[in-house]
Amino acid sequence: MSVHAVAIHEPDAPFETMLIQHLRPAIPAVLRGAAAHWPCRLRWTPDFLRQRYGEAVIEWQDCRDGRRGNGRLADYFALPDAIRRHIYVVDWDFRPRYPELAEDIGGLPQLALDWVPLIPAAARPELLWIYLGDAGTGGGTHLDNYGSSAWLAVLSGRKRVRFADPEGLSAAAMSRLDLFDDEAIAGLEVLEARLDAGDVLFVPAGRWHAARNEAACLSVTGNFVDGANFSLHRRFYQKQWHGRRMLVTELNRLHDMAAGPARELLGAHLEAALSDLRADLEAELRECAQFEAVLASGREGGHAAA
């Protein structure tokens, strides 16, 4: 096993540098101190979140066994220290309920374009998250969703992130691999980023990675789509839409069956539920078809591929 440090750049690194050295070749990078002056870096603290957003519903993970659950943010802070030190607040997609928090996040011209706003509203994923946990907590080895890349900003504390290529391992095997177990990753080439408060990490699409908090840590992550990861994002949506089309076809078949003996079996309540769900899916698919034209063209609105 060999562990190499992720490349570090100054906070004002030119977009052209990031494009050539990191975005296009999908190589991680650290922008040292790029979020140091963001309002969220200066304003968000555990006490601020507890007092202002204690009623927020968050998802948590028990890092001892991987078990997940939901609860109020206030309940997380109320846990005894002996329990809370194993609990990691994960994937808190705060923007739909608390859009004012998103206004505290600064820009990253170093990473330039984001094509996500081009996706129709019905199909547009929510790609902004908060993570919070004590030293030792962290997420397992994974690929980011939607074929997207991401930036990760540490607002307080310290975090370590490791990247590894599969080297012939299956996706299932990679997801079970502990990238922080040096014996388990023997033989793999590993990249490691050590992040302090104010640092931003570029996480390329399609790169397996895992994170661990080195101290009590609050961080925010945003996923994005641009010319560098567009092909991965397109494949994700094509696969997802294929499954939705199959579901619509099956719902239509069941609806047609309801005119015969199957009507009694399905029942009036199931028929109504199917009708509503089918209508929602068909409306979504109409919007997805519009965006599929954008995907086929590879560019939209004059944006140059990153």
Side-chain angles (χ1 to χ4, degrees):
M1 178 202 70
S2 57
V3 178
H4 304 281
V6 168
I8 298 174
H9 292 269
E10 294 300 313
D12 56 353
F15 167 67
E16 291 76 12
T17 298
M18 298 300 295
L19 173 66
I20 295 170
Q21 297 184 15
H22 301 284
L23 291 167
R24 280 181 176 161
I27 297 174
V30 173
L31 291 164
R32 185 69 81 201
H37 301 293
W38 287 6
C40 59
R41 158 81 178 99
L42 305 174
R43 183 178 302 145
W44 296 7
T45 65
D47 282 344
F48 170 82
L49 294 176
R50 177 178 55 81
Q51 293 170 9
R52 297 283 190 93
Y53 302 99
E55 296 302 312
V57 176
I58 51 93
E59 185 174 358
W60 52 263
Q61 175 179 306
D62 190 324
C63 295
R64 294 168 293 189
D65 55 17
R67 180 172 53 94
R68 288 201 174 204
N70 296 291
R72 298 184 314 149
L73 184 62
D75 294 335
Y76 162 78
F77 286 113
L79 289 171
D81 290 345
I83 296 177
R84 192 177 64 246
R85 64 190 178 92
H86 299 293
I87 304 300
Y88 191 33
V89 175
V90 297
D91 304 335
W92 177 15
D93 54 341
F94 58 91
R95 180 162 49 187
R97 183 88 182 266
Y98 309 108
E100 70 277 7
L101 285 174
E103 296 175 2
D104 286 345
I105 297 172
L108 283 170
Q110 306 91 327
L111 302 180
L113 301 175
D114 181 9
W115 294 2
V116 170
L118 297 175
I119 301 172
R124 186 183 306 144
E126 180 54 55
L127 298 177
L128 200 57
W129 333 86
I130 287 175
Y131 296 84
L132 174 66
D134 284 353
T137 58
T141 305
H142 65 284
L143 294 173
D144 280 358
N145 285 333
Y146 308 108
S148 61
S149 297
W151 53 262
L152 183 160
V154 172
L155 305 182
S156 62
R158 300 191 310 277
K159 188 184 292 283
R160 192 159 47 122
V161 181
R162 281 186 168 183
F163 300 83
D165 292 325
E167 301 290 346
L169 295 176
S170 67
M174 284 297 294
S175 66
R176 294 192 298 267
L177 191 64
D178 182 356
L179 293 185
F180 295 96
D181 182 339
D182 290 345
E183 291 185 5
I185 60 175
L188 296 181
E189 291 293 320
V190 176
L191 287 173
E192 181 177 88
R194 292 179 177 267
L195 307 171
D196 294 316
D199 292 345
V200 174
L201 173 67
F202 165 60
V203 180
R207 295 296 300 265
W208 288 93
H209 60 284
R212 180 167 295 177
N213 294 326
E214 297 290 283
C217 184
L218 171 64
S219 61
V220 60
T221 293
N223 290 69
F224 64 94
V225 176
D226 61 12
N229 59 34
F230 185 78
S231 61
L232 283 174
H233 184 67
R234 183 178 185 216
R235 286 199 295 272
F236 173 88
Y237 266 100
Q238 286 177 325
K239 181 178 180 181
Q240 184 183 54
W241 292 348
H242 175 69
R244 287 175 174 167
R245 288 191 182 93
M246 291 178 63
L247 179 56
V248 169
T249 299
E250 181 64 13
L251 291 175
N252 284 334
R253 185 184 69 81
L254 289 173
H255 182 267
D256 293 339
M257 288 173 56
R263 187 179 188 88
E264 295 181 7
L265 178 63
L266 292 175
H269 292 293
L270 179 57
E271 164 63 14
L274 290 174
S275 178
D276 290 343
L277 180 57
R278 185 179 60 253
D280 289 343
L281 287 169
E282 287 179 337
E284 180 175 334
L285 284 173
R286 283 194 295 271
E287 292 206 40
C288 287
Q290 298 172 12
F291 186 56
E292 199 166 33
V294 177
L295 294 178
S297 68
R299 295 181 181 181
E300 174 68 7
H303 290 301

